[in-house]
Amino acid sequence: MIPTVALVGRPNVGKSTLFNKLTKSRDALVADVPGLTRDRRYGRCDLAGADAMLIDTGGLFGDHALADELTQQTQVAVQEADVVVLLLDGRAGITPADEDIVRYLRRQNIPFVPVINKVDGVNLDLVEAEFSRFGFADPLHISASHSRGLRSLAEKLCTELERIKPSGDDGLADIRGVRVAIVGRPNVGKSTLVNRLLGEERQVVFDMPGTTKDAIDIPFSRNDSHYVLIDTAGVRRKGKVAEITEKFSVVKALQAMDRAEVAILVVDANEGVVDQDLHVLQYAAQAGAALLVAVNKWDGLDADQRERVKLSIDRKLSFLPWVPLRHISALHGTGVGHLWDMVDEVYAAGEFAVTTSLLSRLLDRLVANHPPPSVRGRQIKLKVATRGGHHPPRIVIHGNQLEALPASYTRYLENGFREALNLIGNPVKLELRASDNPFAGRRNKLSDRQQNRRRRMIRHRKKNS
């Protein structure tokens, strides 16, 4: 289970900017307005080679109309996190709110990393003298907006997380079997589907959103194969999440997707695919889980409604055409057997048992059909493709100037490998490894003959000038 890092600080110190930089996204809204972030935002980031879940929070103890609500949201994030990043403003200096936050974090006895942001264009000696009153051993200096010091921050966080056993590591990931997470919004029939898959009334089912509060791991066997079903709480928009227990339930659901090999998104046929379903699908794909979409309560629609729902779902899922879709009725069992067959199929595809020679031949074919663009007059060379891992399928491509490969061409390769290898339902991860230039940094030393020729040419030019 991946660790969790929370970004904490008073309003307008640059938490959302840092969140976007570390997650390499634009998910968090950024503006020079205090209190812009209201709810907690989650995203995955790479910290010096280690994956982590990052939480962006609102300002603690700020002078804002929603100060109490923002503080409550941030306190929940602090309790969820394994390590906290305390963000301070190097230009504004220490404020009473900063002092309150430092006292709060020290009382909570939670490890935190002090980071002074916005240090570009300021005197670092004065900044260090200003914040020395807190007694921090070695605070980091960064400029989130200009990506300054982010590598040092990532390495520091990676070191801190290695020292700490993540609070979410409860040993459940060691249960043997294919881990299948049932995810979706509240009241779409997830627990009903779990009961139908198990063939018993294992989970509490009630016609009320939020009945399931935690991620429940249920080991069982089917046709001599072992599985672990993970029934999760409903994931809905943060603005609709009110209870403290429900806020922790959402984190448990996200962590379930991180440790699952297969994720089944359950959708209510009466409502179709909504934006929150797309967010869940995107997160599961980033986590590397194989994906299935189960349209539940299909038996309650007439022919015209089914046609409209099909068209709507196909349109909204057009950005993930490789995700299989099944129409089921969890209550009556219609289509559930075919759903299990699809789980086995996408899991087998995710095993990714291929050879280097096959991958290299496929790479040559894809490049021949659509060559990569040139960079400064030089052709990008894709030489060899090797198997990098499974669940999700990971392909390592070796070549030259791969850092200049456009994102559109990377997607072309991912889709080409997926189609050629029939990796149905699985996100394909490409790892690009560029070869080092053996002559980089080496000066070409002229021989005696070449030096004499060079002198003659210089004298000839001076004579004729």
Side-chain angles (χ1 to χ4, degrees), residues 17 56 89 166 170 274 306 326 439:
T17 301
D56 182 23
D89 191 332
D170 51 8
V274 300
R306 290 182 179 183
R326 290 293 180 268
F439 300 100

Side-chain angles (χ1 to χ4, degrees), residues 30 43 49 93 99 115 121 211 233 246-247 256 286 290 339 356 379-380 403:
V30 177
E99 297 175 346
V115 177
T211 303
E246 187 176 356
K247 294 172 184 177
Q286 291 175 349
L339 185 64
T356 298
Q379 187 73 26
I380 297 177
E403 64 278 357

Side-chain angles (χ1 to χ4, degrees), residues 154-437:
E155 293 173 352
K156 176 68 172 178
L157 290 175
C158 191
T159 302
E160 289 293 324
L161 292 173
E162 287 177 353
R163 295 193 306 103
I164 303 169
K165 183 178 179 180
S167 58
D169 187 8
D170 51 8
L172 292 175
D174 296 331
I175 301 178
R176 299 182 61 84
V178 180
R179 293 184 291 275
V180 182
I182 311 297
V183 297
R185 293 178 295 112
N187 211 34
V188 294
K190 298 185 297 299
S191 295
T192 304
L193 177 59
V194 169
N195 289 340
R196 180 60 61 180
L197 292 172
L198 295 172
E200 61 175 300
E201 297 299 319
R202 174 65 180 266
Q203 297 297 95
V204 176
V205 177
F206 191 69
D207 188 17
M208 180 184 69
T211 303
T212 302
K213 292 294 185 183
D214 201 354
I216 309 300
D217 288 53
I218 310 171
F220 79 107
S221 299
R222 177 181 181 270
N223 297 336
D224 297 328
S225 298
H226 301 288
Y227 302 88
V228 179
L229 271 181
I230 310 174
D231 185 20
T232 65
V235 180
R236 56 177 174 172
R237 290 191 300 113
K238 299 185 189 68
K240 299 293 185 180
V241 177
E243 298 181 14
I244 294 296
T245 55
E246 187 176 356
K247 294 172 184 177
F248 282 105
S249 300
V250 173
V251 177
K252 288 288 189 179
L254 297 178
Q255 291 176 339
M257 285 183 270
D258 284 315
R259 56 191 174 90
E261 283 99 8
V262 181
I264 302 177
L265 174 67
V266 183
V267 176
D268 191 331
N270 296 291
E271 301 177 5
V273 175
V274 300
D275 290 343
Q276 185 63 14
D277 295 324
L278 300 180
H279 292 321
V280 173
L281 270 179
Q282 184 179 19
Y283 187 92
Q286 291 175 349
L291 302 177
L292 291 173
V293 176
V295 184
N296 192 24
K297 307 178 185 180
W298 189 249
D299 53 342
L301 304 181
D302 57 34
D304 292 338
Q305 290 175 322
R306 290 182 179 183
E307 190 64 28
R308 287 195 299 270
V309 170
K310 282 182 179 179
L311 292 175
S312 175
I313 292 178
D314 290 342
R315 176 176 58 84
K316 292 185 176 181
L317 294 182
S318 59
F319 75 105
L320 292 175
W322 45 271
V323 176
L325 187 144
R326 290 293 180 268
H327 305 99
I328 66 170
S329 171
L331 183 62
H332 301 103
T334 306
V336 174
H338 297 298
L339 185 64
W340 260 130
D341 295 337
M342 185 55 65
V343 168
D344 293 335
E345 184 176 348
V346 298
Y347 178 79
E351 286 290 315
F352 197 46
V354 295
T355 61
T356 298
S357 59
L358 174 59
L359 289 177
S360 296
R361 288 197 302 270
L362 290 176
L363 178 63
D364 292 339
R365 186 190 308 169
L366 292 171
V367 172
N369 293 337
H370 181 41
S374 299
V375 179
R376 296 183 295 276
R378 298 178 59 191
Q379 187 73 26
I380 297 177
K381 295 182 180 180
L382 307 177
K383 298 179 180 179
V384 180
T386 60
R387 178 180 181 270
H390 59 94
H391 296 300
R394 190 177 300 274
I395 301 173
V396 181
I397 296 180
H398 301 264
N400 294 338
Q401 301 188 94
L402 299 185
E403 64 278 357
L405 202 65
S408 58
Y409 196 85
T410 302
R411 289 193 297 270
Y412 161 72
L413 294 177
E414 292 174 356
N415 294 330
F417 280 116
R418 184 185 294 108
E419 181 178 357
L421 298 172
N422 193 27
L423 301 176
I424 181 172
N426 282 269
V428 177
K429 306 291 185 180
L430 291 187
E431 183 177 340
L432 304 177
R433 294 184 182 177
S435 302
D436 295 331
N437 183 0

Side-chain angles (χ1 to χ4, degrees), residues 121-154:
V122 300
N123 190 320
L124 290 182
D125 292 334
L126 295 179
V127 171
E128 291 181 354
E130 170 78 13
F131 288 93
S132 62
R133 58 192 291 186
F134 284 136
F136 297 141
D138 189 17
L140 297 176
H141 303 92
I142 70 168
S143 174
S145 59
H146 296 93
S147 301
R148 176 183 172 185
L150 298 189
R151 181 181 295 274
S152 299
L153 174 59

